[in-house]
Amino acid sequence: MRLRNIKGAREAMISSPYTVNEPAANKGKWAEFFGNSNPIRLEIGTGKGQFITALAEQNPAINYIGIEKYSSVLLRALQKQEVLQLPNLIFIRMEAEEIEDIFAQGEIDRIYLNFSDPWPKDRHAHRRLTSGKFFSRYDKILKKDGVVEFKTDNVDLFAFSLEEIPAAGWTLDKVTHDLHNDAAMNEGNIMTEYEERFSAQGNAICKLIASR
Ligand code: SAM
């Protein structure tokens, strides 16, 4: 998702109390940053932040960090958070490839990947957020019993992920090809912006949960 360049988006981000501009300085110290030892969960590619904001509202005893590479998109998430002022939610504008520089071994409790960019060309497979390369990064920052949750309507990306994740040494704990008609997996589901849009068009939503 790339919105038009919004004038002042970068400046608004830098001055917001809900973004961290030098995140590497908090590596290994995120509990100190939040002022508590609650679990820390990440959404990578958070877009306009609907999903992670709803989670943070529902779960005040969990800390949430939304990661997004474009300021123009993240600005929308920040605008919501500036109204809500949730103490357990912050955003970082960054490229997900750098997560190992930002989070220490085992510092993260759960990672959410929602409607990640498909990168359909084979030569770009390593850029997919469900590639083995990314899972080896997740392995470094996730605590031992941490999980990765992934939702998409893209059947090719989902099929790739179902092969790639076990090949990277992870276990697929739960899988559905039709989340909204799977009562058990859909319980408590929070829809993302893309999920609302694509399910309204009749696309089935796929979801998997992976652990080591
Ligand atoms: N998760 C939201 C949803 O489900 O509505 C947005 C989905 S959108 C298709 C994917 C988002 O991930 C975009 O906003 C994109 O900029 C961001 N993104 C993709 N690759 C990324 C990366 N490597 N690092 C950070 N953000 C990324």
Side-chain angles (χ1 to χ4, degrees), residues 43 45 68-70 94-96 114-115 117 192-194:
E43 185 187 15
E68 168 56 50
K69 63 181 169 182
Y70 292 124
M94 63 174 278
E95 166 53 58
N114 290 319
F115 297 81
D117 295 346
T192 77
E193 281 100 345
Y194 271 63

Side-chain angles (χ1 to χ4, degrees), residues 17-18 20 30-31 33-36 38-43 51-66 81 84-91:
Y18 300 107
V20 178
W30 285 101
F33 171 87
F34 281 107
N36 58 55
N38 294 341
I40 301 173
R41 299 185 176 171
L42 299 184
E43 185 187 15
F51 173 84
I52 200 164
T53 302
L55 276 180
E57 263 187 303
Q58 282 180 8
N59 303 291
I62 298 175
N63 298 316
Y64 293 93
I65 302 178
Q81 170 63 338
L84 295 169
Q85 304 191 356
L86 302 170
N88 58 332
L89 174 62
I90 56 123
F91 295 95

Side-chain angles (χ1 to χ4, degrees), residues 1 3 46-50 53 73-74 76-77 80 193 197:
M1 175 184 353
L3 298 184
T46 206
K48 297 181 193 167
Q50 171 171 308
T53 302
V73 187
L74 202 47
R76 303 300 180 209
K80 284 178 217 151
E193 281 100 345
R197 191 189 305 170

Side-chain angles (χ1 to χ4, degrees), residues 24-184:
N26 291 325
K27 183 173 178 175
K29 299 182 204 154
W30 285 101
E32 233 173 88
F33 171 87
F34 281 107
N36 58 55
S37 56
N38 294 341
I40 301 173
R41 299 185 176 171
L42 299 184
E43 185 187 15
I44 301 181
T46 206
K48 297 181 193 167
Q50 171 171 308
F51 173 84
I52 200 164
T53 302
L55 276 180
E57 263 187 303
Q58 282 180 8
N59 303 291
I62 298 175
N63 298 316
Y64 293 93
I65 302 178
I67 287 174
E68 168 56 50
K69 63 181 169 182
Y70 292 124
S71 330
S72 51
V73 187
L74 202 47
L75 186 62
R76 303 300 180 209
L78 280 177
Q79 286 167 341
K80 284 178 217 151
Q81 170 63 338
E82 273 157 20
V83 174
L84 295 169
Q85 304 191 356
L86 302 170
N88 58 332
L89 174 62
I90 56 123
F91 295 95
I92 305 175
R93 191 192 63 79
M94 63 174 278
E95 166 53 58
E97 280 180 17
E98 292 159 17
I99 49 174
E100 288 166 75
D101 301 334
I102 310 299
F103 303 106
Q105 180 95 42
E107 202 166 23
I108 298 304
D109 171 76
R110 186 171 300 183
I111 295 174
Y112 298 101
L113 308 172
N114 290 319
F115 297 81
S116 308
D117 295 346
W119 293 105
K121 291 183 179 148
D122 283 349
R123 70 171 190 278
H124 292 146
H126 63 283
R127 296 188 189 166
R128 297 174 192 151
L129 294 181
T130 54
S131 64
K133 196 155 187 186
F134 268 98
F135 268 74
S136 68
R137 296 181 176 117
Y138 307 151
D139 184 40
K140 304 247 171 58
I141 65 167
L142 261 188
K143 66 179 197 184
K144 224 170 144 195
D145 58 350
V147 297
V148 178
E149 297 196 8
F150 171 52
K151 292 196 279 190
T152 185
D153 69 321
N154 185 309
V155 288
D156 292 335
L157 179 62
F158 198 64
F160 166 85
S161 310
L162 291 179
E163 284 190 9
E164 188 82 358
I165 296 170
W170 292 61
T171 303
L172 296 171
D173 298 324
K174 290 184 185 165
V175 174
T176 177
H177 286 82
D178 191 0
L179 176 65
H180 297 173
N181 287 305
D182 180 323

